[in-house]
PDB file of all heavy atoms in Angstrom:
ATOM      1  N   ARG A 948       8.890  42.519  92.661  1.00  0.00           N
ATOM      2  CA  ARG A 948       7.671  42.704  91.718  1.00  0.00           C
ATOM      3  C   ARG A 948       7.472  44.170  91.479  1.00  0.00           C
ATOM      4  O   ARG A 948       6.925  44.479  90.348  1.00  0.00           O
ATOM      5  CB  ARG A 948       6.471  42.131  92.491  1.00  0.00           C
ATOM      6  CG  ARG A 948       5.302  42.008  91.497  1.00  0.00           C
ATOM      7  CD  ARG A 948       4.115  41.329  92.073  1.00  0.00           C
ATOM      8  NE  ARG A 948       2.847  41.633  91.288  1.00  0.00           N
ATOM      9  CZ  ARG A 948       1.706  41.789  91.748  1.00  0.00           C
ATOM     10  NH1 ARG A 948       1.469  41.504  92.991  1.00  0.00           N
ATOM     11  NH2 ARG A 948       0.673  41.996  90.923  1.00  0.00           N
ATOM     12  N   ASN A 949       7.860  45.066  92.352  1.00  0.00           N
ATOM     13  CA  ASN A 949       7.840  46.484  91.923  1.00  0.00           C
ATOM     14  C   ASN A 949       8.677  46.734  90.717  1.00  0.00           C
ATOM     15  O   ASN A 949       8.275  47.596  89.918  1.00  0.00           O
ATOM     16  CB  ASN A 949       8.456  47.411  93.127  1.00  0.00           C
ATOM     17  CG  ASN A 949       7.364  47.949  93.940  1.00  0.00           C
ATOM     18  OD1 ASN A 949       6.755  48.900  93.524  1.00  0.00           O
ATOM     19  ND2 ASN A 949       7.170  47.403  95.163  1.00  0.00           N
ATOM     20  N   ILE A 950       9.745  46.019  90.459  1.00  0.00           N
ATOM     21  CA  ILE A 950      10.555  46.226  89.307  1.00  0.00           C
ATOM     22  C   ILE A 950      10.118  45.465  88.070  1.00  0.00           C
ATOM     23  O   ILE A 950      10.244  45.962  86.947  1.00  0.00           O
ATOM     24  CB  ILE A 950      12.023  45.908  89.658  1.00  0.00           C
ATOM     25  CG1 ILE A 950      12.471  46.813  90.683  1.00  0.00           C
ATOM     26  CG2 ILE A 950      12.879  45.972  88.476  1.00  0.00           C
ATOM     27  CD1 ILE A 950      13.850  46.450  91.370  1.00  0.00           C
ATOM     28  N   THR A 951       9.513  44.250  88.257  1.00  0.00           N
ATOM     29  CA  THR A 951       9.152  43.417  87.171  1.00  0.00           C
ATOM     30  C   THR A 951       7.783  43.790  86.506  1.00  0.00           C
ATOM     31  O   THR A 951       7.591  43.428  85.329  1.00  0.00           O
ATOM     32  CB  THR A 951       9.158  41.891  87.485  1.00  0.00           C
ATOM     33  OG1 THR A 951       8.146  41.739  88.577  1.00  0.00           O
ATOM     34  CG2 THR A 951      10.564  41.483  87.990  1.00  0.00           C
ATOM     35  N   GLU A 952       6.925  44.480  87.262  1.00  0.00           N
ATOM     36  CA  GLU A 952       5.574  44.687  86.738  1.00  0.00           C
ATOM     37  C   GLU A 952       5.546  45.438  85.506  1.00  0.00           C
ATOM     38  O   GLU A 952       4.897  45.016  84.613  1.00  0.00           O
ATOM     39  CB  GLU A 952       4.788  45.429  87.970  1.00  0.00           C
ATOM     40  CG  GLU A 952       3.280  45.397  87.670  1.00  0.00           C
ATOM     41  CD  GLU A 952       2.671  44.059  88.050  1.00  0.00           C
ATOM     42  OE1 GLU A 952       3.370  43.041  88.485  1.00  0.00           O
ATOM     43  OE2 GLU A 952       1.414  43.927  87.825  1.00  0.00           O
ATOM     44  N   ALA A 953       6.170  46.670  85.498  1.00  0.00           N
ATOM     45  CA  ALA A 953       6.031  47.472  84.226  1.00  0.00           C
ATOM     46  C   ALA A 953       6.715  46.877  82.998  1.00  0.00           C
ATOM     47  O   ALA A 953       6.156  46.962  81.961  1.00  0.00           O
ATOM     48  CB  ALA A 953       6.622  48.907  84.536  1.00  0.00           C
ATOM     49  N   PRO A 954       7.961  46.342  83.197  1.00  0.00           N
ATOM     50  CA  PRO A 954       8.563  45.661  81.936  1.00  0.00           C
ATOM     51  C   PRO A 954       7.682  44.593  81.419  1.00  0.00           C
ATOM     52  O   PRO A 954       7.555  44.423  80.162  1.00  0.00           O
ATOM     53  CB  PRO A 954       9.784  45.047  82.541  1.00  0.00           C
ATOM     54  CG  PRO A 954      10.181  46.006  83.578  1.00  0.00           C
ATOM     55  CD  PRO A 954       8.954  46.389  84.253  1.00  0.00           C
ATOM     56  N   MET A 955       6.874  43.924  82.204  1.00  0.00           N
ATOM     57  CA  MET A 955       5.933  42.847  81.673  1.00  0.00           C
ATOM     58  C   MET A 955       4.746  43.430  81.091  1.00  0.00           C
ATOM     59  O   MET A 955       4.388  43.110  79.941  1.00  0.00           O
ATOM     60  CB  MET A 955       5.625  41.807  82.780  1.00  0.00           C
ATOM     61  CG  MET A 955       6.706  40.925  83.212  1.00  0.00           C
ATOM     62  SD  MET A 955       6.096  39.516  84.274  1.00  0.00           S
ATOM     63  CE  MET A 955       5.569  40.349  85.706  1.00  0.00           C
ATOM     64  N   ARG A 956       4.152  44.410  81.728  1.00  0.00           N
ATOM     65  CA  ARG A 956       2.945  44.979  81.272  1.00  0.00           C
ATOM     66  C   ARG A 956       3.107  46.005  80.153  1.00  0.00           C
ATOM     67  O   ARG A 956       2.282  45.993  79.194  1.00  0.00           O
ATOM     68  CB  ARG A 956       2.213  45.715  82.461  1.00  0.00           C
ATOM     69  CG  ARG A 956       1.572  44.868  83.463  1.00  0.00           C
ATOM     70  CD  ARG A 956       0.903  45.607  84.531  1.00  0.00           C
ATOM     71  NE  ARG A 956       0.238  44.861  85.483  1.00  0.00           N
ATOM     72  CZ  ARG A 956      -1.005  44.425  85.543  1.00  0.00           C
ATOM     73  NH1 ARG A 956      -1.746  44.834  84.503  1.00  0.00           N
ATOM     74  NH2 ARG A 956      -1.501  43.723  86.457  1.00  0.00           N
ATOM     75  N   VAL A 957       4.222  46.816  80.140  1.00  0.00           N
ATOM     76  CA  VAL A 957       4.420  47.812  79.234  1.00  0.00           C
ATOM     77  C   VAL A 957       5.289  47.396  78.075  1.00  0.00           C
ATOM     78  O   VAL A 957       4.971  47.725  76.878  1.00  0.00           O
ATOM     79  CB  VAL A 957       4.865  49.113  79.822  1.00  0.00           C
ATOM     80  CG1 VAL A 957       5.135  50.251  78.813  1.00  0.00           C
ATOM     81  CG2 VAL A 957       4.010  49.592  80.985  1.00  0.00           C
ATOM     82  N   LEU A 958       6.344  46.751  78.359  1.00  0.00           N
ATOM     83  CA  LEU A 958       7.344  46.307  77.316  1.00  0.00           C
ATOM     84  C   LEU A 958       6.896  44.964  76.793  1.00  0.00           C
ATOM     85  O   LEU A 958       7.637  44.493  75.848  1.00  0.00           O
ATOM     86  CB  LEU A 958       8.711  46.342  77.901  1.00  0.00           C
ATOM     87  CG  LEU A 958       9.235  47.606  78.408  1.00  0.00           C
ATOM     88  CD1 LEU A 958      10.748  47.627  78.848  1.00  0.00           C
ATOM     89  CD2 LEU A 958       8.960  48.797  77.429  1.00  0.00           C
ATOM     90  N   GLY A 959       6.101  44.233  77.432  1.00  0.00           N
ATOM     91  CA  GLY A 959       5.721  42.898  77.061  1.00  0.00           C
ATOM     92  C   GLY A 959       6.769  41.833  77.272  1.00  0.00           C
ATOM     93  O   GLY A 959       6.714  40.730  76.548  1.00  0.00           O
ATOM     94  N   LEU A 960       7.717  41.998  78.204  1.00  0.00           N
ATOM     95  CA  LEU A 960       8.650  41.017  78.526  1.00  0.00           C
ATOM     96  C   LEU A 960       8.064  39.825  79.239  1.00  0.00           C
ATOM     97  O   LEU A 960       7.009  39.999  79.964  1.00  0.00           O
ATOM     98  CB  LEU A 960       9.739  41.520  79.442  1.00  0.00           C
ATOM     99  CG  LEU A 960      10.547  42.830  78.831  1.00  0.00           C
ATOM    100  CD1 LEU A 960      11.719  43.090  79.866  1.00  0.00           C
ATOM    101  CD2 LEU A 960      11.058  42.540  77.517  1.00  0.00           C
ATOM    102  N   SER A 961       8.622  38.711  79.056  1.00  0.00           N
ATOM    103  CA  SER A 961       8.187  37.444  79.815  1.00  0.00           C
ATOM    104  C   SER A 961       8.695  37.610  81.255  1.00  0.00           C
ATOM    105  O   SER A 961       9.520  38.495  81.610  1.00  0.00           O
ATOM    106  CB  SER A 961       8.908  36.190  79.137  1.00  0.00           C
ATOM    107  OG  SER A 961      10.296  36.295  79.590  1.00  0.00           O
ATOM    108  N   ARG A 962       8.068  36.865  82.178  1.00  0.00           N
ATOM    109  CA  ARG A 962       8.420  36.912  83.532  1.00  0.00           C
ATOM    110  C   ARG A 962       9.854  36.612  83.768  1.00  0.00           C
ATOM    111  O   ARG A 962      10.575  37.309  84.543  1.00  0.00           O
ATOM    112  CB  ARG A 962       7.529  35.932  84.373  1.00  0.00           C
ATOM    113  CG  ARG A 962       7.926  35.954  85.877  1.00  0.00           C
ATOM    114  CD  ARG A 962       6.922  35.289  86.692  1.00  0.00           C
ATOM    115  NE  ARG A 962       5.596  35.934  86.683  1.00  0.00           N
ATOM    116  CZ  ARG A 962       5.216  36.939  87.425  1.00  0.00           C
ATOM    117  NH1 ARG A 962       6.190  37.523  88.223  1.00  0.00           N
ATOM    118  NH2 ARG A 962       4.084  37.498  87.409  1.00  0.00           N
ATOM    119  N   ALA A 963      10.435  35.717  83.022  1.00  0.00           N
ATOM    120  CA  ALA A 963      11.828  35.294  83.098  1.00  0.00           C
ATOM    121  C   ALA A 963      12.682  36.545  82.772  1.00  0.00           C
ATOM    122  O   ALA A 963      13.723  36.806  83.371  1.00  0.00           O
ATOM    123  CB  ALA A 963      12.121  34.059  82.279  1.00  0.00           C
ATOM    124  N   GLU A 964      12.348  37.114  81.633  1.00  0.00           N
ATOM    125  CA  GLU A 964      13.101  38.333  81.107  1.00  0.00           C
ATOM    126  C   GLU A 964      13.081  39.400  82.128  1.00  0.00           C
ATOM    127  O   GLU A 964      14.105  40.172  82.464  1.00  0.00           O
ATOM    128  CB  GLU A 964      12.616  38.771  79.826  1.00  0.00           C
ATOM    129  CG  GLU A 964      12.872  37.846  78.545  1.00  0.00           C
ATOM    130  CD  GLU A 964      12.103  38.231  77.283  1.00  0.00           C
ATOM    131  OE1 GLU A 964      10.966  38.704  77.464  1.00  0.00           O
ATOM    132  OE2 GLU A 964      12.688  38.091  76.235  1.00  0.00           O
ATOM    133  N   ALA A 965      11.910  39.705  82.644  1.00  0.00           N
ATOM    134  CA  ALA A 965      11.696  40.762  83.698  1.00  0.00           C
ATOM    135  C   ALA A 965      12.468  40.494  84.917  1.00  0.00           C
ATOM    136  O   ALA A 965      13.009  41.399  85.578  1.00  0.00           O
ATOM    137  CB  ALA A 965      10.272  40.994  84.013  1.00  0.00           C
ATOM    138  N   GLU A 966      12.427  39.260  85.330  1.00  0.00           N
ATOM    139  CA  GLU A 966      13.212  38.834  86.551  1.00  0.00           C
ATOM    140  C   GLU A 966      14.735  39.012  86.404  1.00  0.00           C
ATOM    141  O   GLU A 966      15.383  39.484  87.269  1.00  0.00           O
ATOM    142  CB  GLU A 966      12.886  37.343  86.891  1.00  0.00           C
ATOM    143  CG  GLU A 966      11.456  37.071  87.316  1.00  0.00           C
ATOM    144  CD  GLU A 966      11.198  37.126  88.824  1.00  0.00           C
ATOM    145  OE1 GLU A 966      12.255  37.315  89.582  1.00  0.00           O
ATOM    146  OE2 GLU A 966      10.093  36.933  89.184  1.00  0.00           O
ATOM    147  N   ALA A 967      15.191  38.712  85.232  1.00  0.00           N
ATOM    148  CA  ALA A 967      16.596  38.829  84.895  1.00  0.00           C
ATOM    149  C   ALA A 967      16.962  40.360  84.992  1.00  0.00           C
ATOM    150  O   ALA A 967      17.971  40.696  85.500  1.00  0.00           O
ATOM    151  CB  ALA A 967      16.917  38.248  83.571  1.00  0.00           C
ATOM    152  N   LEU A 968      16.142  41.217  84.349  1.00  0.00           N
ATOM    153  CA  LEU A 968      16.375  42.587  84.421  1.00  0.00           C
ATOM    154  C   LEU A 968      16.391  43.174  85.769  1.00  0.00           C
ATOM    155  O   LEU A 968      17.213  43.936  86.207  1.00  0.00           O
ATOM    156  CB  LEU A 968      15.212  43.346  83.585  1.00  0.00           C
ATOM    157  CG  LEU A 968      15.499  43.722  82.203  1.00  0.00           C
ATOM    158  CD1 LEU A 968      14.344  44.628  81.657  1.00  0.00           C
ATOM    159  CD2 LEU A 968      16.812  44.448  81.916  1.00  0.00           C
ATOM    160  N   ALA A 969      15.408  42.726  86.652  1.00  0.00           N
ATOM    161  CA  ALA A 969      15.277  43.062  88.027  1.00  0.00           C
ATOM    162  C   ALA A 969      16.554  42.849  88.801  1.00  0.00           C
ATOM    163  O   ALA A 969      17.084  43.612  89.546  1.00  0.00           O
ATOM    164  CB  ALA A 969      14.175  42.468  88.711  1.00  0.00           C
ATOM    165  N   GLU A 970      17.085  41.563  88.643  1.00  0.00           N
ATOM    166  CA  GLU A 970      18.278  41.179  89.329  1.00  0.00           C
ATOM    167  C   GLU A 970      19.463  42.055  88.874  1.00  0.00           C
ATOM    168  O   GLU A 970      20.265  42.437  89.657  1.00  0.00           O
ATOM    169  CB  GLU A 970      18.490  39.612  89.022  1.00  0.00           C
ATOM    170  CG  GLU A 970      17.561  38.758  89.725  1.00  0.00           C
ATOM    171  CD  GLU A 970      17.901  37.354  89.731  1.00  0.00           C
ATOM    172  OE1 GLU A 970      19.024  36.988  89.459  1.00  0.00           O
ATOM    173  OE2 GLU A 970      17.006  36.449  90.109  1.00  0.00           O
ATOM    174  N   GLU A 971      19.481  42.241  87.551  1.00  0.00           N
ATOM    175  CA  GLU A 971      20.724  43.115  87.040  1.00  0.00           C
ATOM    176  C   GLU A 971      20.607  44.414  87.710  1.00  0.00           C
ATOM    177  O   GLU A 971      21.787  44.960  88.271  1.00  0.00           O
ATOM    178  CB  GLU A 971      20.404  43.254  85.536  1.00  0.00           C
ATOM    179  CG  GLU A 971      21.546  44.136  84.900  1.00  0.00           C
ATOM    180  CD  GLU A 971      21.227  44.437  83.391  1.00  0.00           C
ATOM    181  OE1 GLU A 971      20.490  43.677  82.848  1.00  0.00           O
ATOM    182  OE2 GLU A 971      21.837  45.471  82.875  1.00  0.00           O
ATOM    183  N   TYR A 972      19.405  45.114  87.776  1.00  0.00           N
ATOM    184  CA  TYR A 972      19.407  46.449  88.387  1.00  0.00           C
ATOM    185  C   TYR A 972      19.433  46.478  89.835  1.00  0.00           C
ATOM    186  O   TYR A 972      19.941  47.505  90.422  1.00  0.00           O
ATOM    187  CB  TYR A 972      18.308  47.231  87.755  1.00  0.00           C
ATOM    188  CG  TYR A 972      18.606  47.528  86.307  1.00  0.00           C
ATOM    189  CD1 TYR A 972      17.761  46.951  85.187  1.00  0.00           C
ATOM    190  CD2 TYR A 972      19.647  48.344  85.849  1.00  0.00           C
ATOM    191  CE1 TYR A 972      18.039  47.280  83.894  1.00  0.00           C
ATOM    192  CE2 TYR A 972      19.956  48.618  84.611  1.00  0.00           C
ATOM    193  CZ  TYR A 972      19.156  48.069  83.595  1.00  0.00           C
ATOM    194  OH  TYR A 972      19.427  48.254  82.173  1.00  0.00           O
ATOM    195  N   LEU A 973      18.922  45.472  90.448  1.00  0.00           N
ATOM    196  CA  LEU A 973      19.054  45.442  91.949  1.00  0.00           C
ATOM    197  C   LEU A 973      20.485  45.320  92.357  1.00  0.00           C
ATOM    198  O   LEU A 973      20.990  45.782  93.389  1.00  0.00           O
ATOM    199  CB  LEU A 973      18.185  44.289  92.507  1.00  0.00           C
ATOM    200  CG  LEU A 973      16.719  44.596  92.493  1.00  0.00           C
ATOM    201  CD1 LEU A 973      15.808  43.398  92.902  1.00  0.00           C
ATOM    202  CD2 LEU A 973      16.411  45.740  93.542  1.00  0.00           C
ATOM    203  N   GLN A 974      21.245  44.453  91.563  1.00  0.00           N
ATOM    204  CA  GLN A 974      22.727  44.343  91.782  1.00  0.00           C
ATOM    205  C   GLN A 974      23.381  45.667  91.674  1.00  0.00           C
ATOM    206  O   GLN A 974      24.145  46.041  92.572  1.00  0.00           O
ATOM    207  CB  GLN A 974      23.326  43.347  90.857  1.00  0.00           C
ATOM    208  CG  GLN A 974      22.874  41.900  91.123  1.00  0.00           C
ATOM    209  CD  GLN A 974      23.598  41.210  92.289  1.00  0.00           C
ATOM    210  OE1 GLN A 974      24.303  41.819  92.996  1.00  0.00           O
ATOM    211  NE2 GLN A 974      23.347  39.831  92.379  1.00  0.00           N
ATOM    212  N   LEU A 975      22.930  46.354  90.630  1.00  0.00           N
ATOM    213  CA  LEU A 975      23.593  47.665  90.400  1.00  0.00           C
ATOM    214  C   LEU A 975      23.394  48.726  91.494  1.00  0.00           C
ATOM    215  O   LEU A 975      24.312  49.453  91.796  1.00  0.00           O
ATOM    216  CB  LEU A 975      22.961  48.225  89.023  1.00  0.00           C
ATOM    217  CG  LEU A 975      23.458  49.587  88.561  1.00  0.00           C
ATOM    218  CD1 LEU A 975      24.953  49.501  88.103  1.00  0.00           C
ATOM    219  CD2 LEU A 975      22.584  50.152  87.489  1.00  0.00           C
ATOM    220  N   VAL A 976      22.208  48.678  92.037  1.00  0.00           N
ATOM    221  CA  VAL A 976      21.990  49.661  93.204  1.00  0.00           C
ATOM    222  C   VAL A 976      22.202  49.101  94.554  1.00  0.00           C
ATOM    223  O   VAL A 976      21.870  49.701  95.581  1.00  0.00           O
ATOM    224  CB  VAL A 976      20.430  50.211  93.069  1.00  0.00           C
ATOM    225  CG1 VAL A 976      20.234  50.846  91.727  1.00  0.00           C
ATOM    226  CG2 VAL A 976      19.384  49.142  93.352  1.00  0.00           C
ATOM    227  N   GLY A 977      22.773  47.829  94.654  1.00  0.00           N
ATOM    228  CA  GLY A 977      23.091  47.223  95.927  1.00  0.00           C
ATOM    229  C   GLY A 977      21.899  46.765  96.743  1.00  0.00           C
ATOM    230  O   GLY A 977      22.030  46.828  97.933  1.00  0.00           O
ATOM    231  N   MET A 978      20.845  46.330  96.087  1.00  0.00           N
ATOM    232  CA  MET A 978      19.686  45.950  96.816  1.00  0.00           C
ATOM    233  C   MET A 978      19.226  44.495  96.574  1.00  0.00           C
ATOM    234  O   MET A 978      18.105  44.176  96.941  1.00  0.00           O
ATOM    235  CB  MET A 978      18.483  46.856  96.383  1.00  0.00           C
ATOM    236  CG  MET A 978      18.690  48.354  96.949  1.00  0.00           C
ATOM    237  SD  MET A 978      18.603  48.408  98.803  1.00  0.00           S
ATOM    238  CE  MET A 978      17.028  47.911  99.095  1.00  0.00           C
ATOM    239  N   MET A 979      20.080  43.650  95.943  1.00  0.00           N
ATOM    240  CA  MET A 979      19.598  42.369  95.559  1.00  0.00           C
ATOM    241  C   MET A 979      19.157  41.519  96.836  1.00  0.00           C
ATOM    242  O   MET A 979      18.348  40.663  96.853  1.00  0.00           O
ATOM    243  CB  MET A 979      20.708  41.621  94.797  1.00  0.00           C
ATOM    244  CG  MET A 979      20.327  40.333  94.220  1.00  0.00           C
ATOM    245  SD  MET A 979      18.941  40.471  93.079  1.00  0.00           S
ATOM    246  CE  MET A 979      18.058  39.033  93.316  1.00  0.00           C
ATOM    247  N   GLU A 980      19.878  41.699  97.875  1.00  0.00           N
ATOM    248  CA  GLU A 980      19.543  40.927  99.138  1.00  0.00           C
ATOM    249  C   GLU A 980      18.202  41.368  99.696  1.00  0.00           C
ATOM    250  O   GLU A 980      17.629  40.583 100.572  1.00  0.00           O
ATOM    251  CB  GLU A 980      20.621  41.129 100.164  1.00  0.00           C
ATOM    252  CG  GLU A 980      20.637  42.551 100.791  1.00  0.00           C
ATOM    253  CD  GLU A 980      22.013  42.793 101.525  1.00  0.00           C
ATOM    254  OE1 GLU A 980      22.999  43.081 100.996  1.00  0.00           O
ATOM    255  OE2 GLU A 980      21.911  42.729 102.812  1.00  0.00           O
ATOM    256  N   HIS A 981      17.669  42.351  99.251  1.00  0.00           N
ATOM    257  CA  HIS A 981      16.312  42.883  99.834  1.00  0.00           C
ATOM    258  C   HIS A 981      15.173  42.625  98.750  1.00  0.00           C
ATOM    259  O   HIS A 981      14.037  43.120  98.977  1.00  0.00           O
ATOM    260  CB  HIS A 981      16.331  44.330 100.092  1.00  0.00           C
ATOM    261  CG  HIS A 981      17.499  44.682 101.040  1.00  0.00           C
ATOM    262  ND1 HIS A 981      17.315  44.467 102.464  1.00  0.00           N
ATOM    263  CD2 HIS A 981      18.637  45.293 100.926  1.00  0.00           C
ATOM    264  CE1 HIS A 981      18.383  44.858 103.040  1.00  0.00           C
ATOM    265  NE2 HIS A 981      19.237  45.358 102.132  1.00  0.00           N
ATOM    266  N   ALA A 982      15.482  41.775  97.795  1.00  0.00           N
ATOM    267  CA  ALA A 982      14.509  41.654  96.653  1.00  0.00           C
ATOM    268  C   ALA A 982      13.099  41.124  97.124  1.00  0.00           C
ATOM    269  O   ALA A 982      12.124  41.475  96.325  1.00  0.00           O
ATOM    270  CB  ALA A 982      15.093  40.679  95.619  1.00  0.00           C
ATOM    271  N   ASP A 983      13.043  40.348  98.124  1.00  0.00           N
ATOM    272  CA  ASP A 983      11.745  39.796  98.580  1.00  0.00           C
ATOM    273  C   ASP A 983      11.145  40.459  99.785  1.00  0.00           C
ATOM    274  O   ASP A 983      10.178  39.985 100.309  1.00  0.00           O
ATOM    275  CB  ASP A 983      11.898  38.294  98.831  1.00  0.00           C
ATOM    276  CG  ASP A 983      12.352  37.500  97.500  1.00  0.00           C
ATOM    277  OD1 ASP A 983      11.739  37.707  96.472  1.00  0.00           O
ATOM    278  OD2 ASP A 983      13.323  36.787  97.611  1.00  0.00           O
ATOM    279  N   LYS A 984      11.637  41.581 100.106  1.00  0.00           N
ATOM    280  CA  LYS A 984      11.053  42.407 101.154  1.00  0.00           C
ATOM    281  C   LYS A 984       9.971  43.327 100.500  1.00  0.00           C
ATOM    282  O   LYS A 984       9.913  43.556  99.316  1.00  0.00           O
ATOM    283  CB  LYS A 984      12.111  43.348 101.869  1.00  0.00           C
ATOM    284  CG  LYS A 984      13.112  42.467 102.657  1.00  0.00           C
ATOM    285  CD  LYS A 984      14.150  43.359 103.363  1.00  0.00           C
ATOM    286  CE  LYS A 984      15.047  42.514 104.222  1.00  0.00           C
ATOM    287  NZ  LYS A 984      16.150  43.405 104.865  1.00  0.00           N
ATOM    288  N   PHE A 985       9.204  43.948 101.459  1.00  0.00           N
ATOM    289  CA  PHE A 985       8.228  44.913 101.065  1.00  0.00           C
ATOM    290  C   PHE A 985       8.772  46.324 101.345  1.00  0.00           C
ATOM    291  O   PHE A 985       9.638  46.519 102.283  1.00  0.00           O
ATOM    292  CB  PHE A 985       6.900  44.711 101.753  1.00  0.00           C
ATOM    293  CG  PHE A 985       6.129  43.495 101.366  1.00  0.00           C
ATOM    294  CD1 PHE A 985       6.411  42.236 101.903  1.00  0.00           C
ATOM    295  CD2 PHE A 985       5.202  43.538 100.243  1.00  0.00           C
ATOM    296  CE1 PHE A 985       5.726  41.148 101.506  1.00  0.00           C
ATOM    297  CE2 PHE A 985       4.584  42.453  99.771  1.00  0.00           C
ATOM    298  CZ  PHE A 985       4.796  41.243 100.325  1.00  0.00           C
ATOM    299  N   PRO A 986       8.330  47.301 100.643  1.00  0.00           N
ATOM    300  CA  PRO A 986       8.839  48.759 100.882  1.00  0.00           C
ATOM    301  C   PRO A 986       8.859  49.138 102.314  1.00  0.00           C
ATOM    302  O   PRO A 986       9.797  49.798 102.757  1.00  0.00           O
ATOM    303  CB  PRO A 986       7.929  49.550 100.073  1.00  0.00           C
ATOM    304  CG  PRO A 986       7.553  48.788  98.882  1.00  0.00           C
ATOM    305  CD  PRO A 986       7.411  47.443  99.527  1.00  0.00           C
ATOM    306  N   ARG A 987       7.775  48.829 103.077  1.00  0.00           N
ATOM    307  CA  ARG A 987       7.755  49.256 104.527  1.00  0.00           C
ATOM    308  C   ARG A 987       8.921  48.645 105.344  1.00  0.00           C
ATOM    309  O   ARG A 987       9.155  49.105 106.503  1.00  0.00           O
ATOM    310  CB  ARG A 987       6.393  48.781 105.120  1.00  0.00           C
ATOM    311  CG  ARG A 987       6.221  47.222 105.243  1.00  0.00           C
ATOM    312  CD  ARG A 987       4.954  46.952 105.925  1.00  0.00           C
ATOM    313  NE  ARG A 987       4.702  45.497 105.992  1.00  0.00           N
ATOM    314  CZ  ARG A 987       4.191  44.760 105.037  1.00  0.00           C
ATOM    315  NH1 ARG A 987       3.761  45.288 103.924  1.00  0.00           N
ATOM    316  NH2 ARG A 987       4.102  43.417 105.195  1.00  0.00           N
TER     317      ARG A 987
END
């Protein structure tokens, strides 16, 4: 949600589009397996 929030609010992307972007970039930085964790 940290990643999808701004694309939806600022760029006007749908949730599905924002989720797809989040997965793309989480894969890129090697963090996809942590997608549902909290920062702490």
Side-chain angles (χ1 to χ4, degrees):
R948 193 171 162 214
N949 260 284
I950 297 171
T951 58
E952 195 75 3
M955 288 192 295
R956 287 178 179 268
V957 179
L958 301 183
L960 299 188
S961 68
R962 180 168 294 280
E964 289 170 325
E966 294 267 359
L968 266 186
E970 292 194 8
E971 176 186 346
Y972 289 116
L973 284 172
Q974 293 281 9
L975 180 70
V976 301
M978 289 295 293
M979 190 59 217
E980 66 192 81
H981 303 286
D983 297 312
K984 291 182 179 177
F985 289 89
R987 65 178 179 275

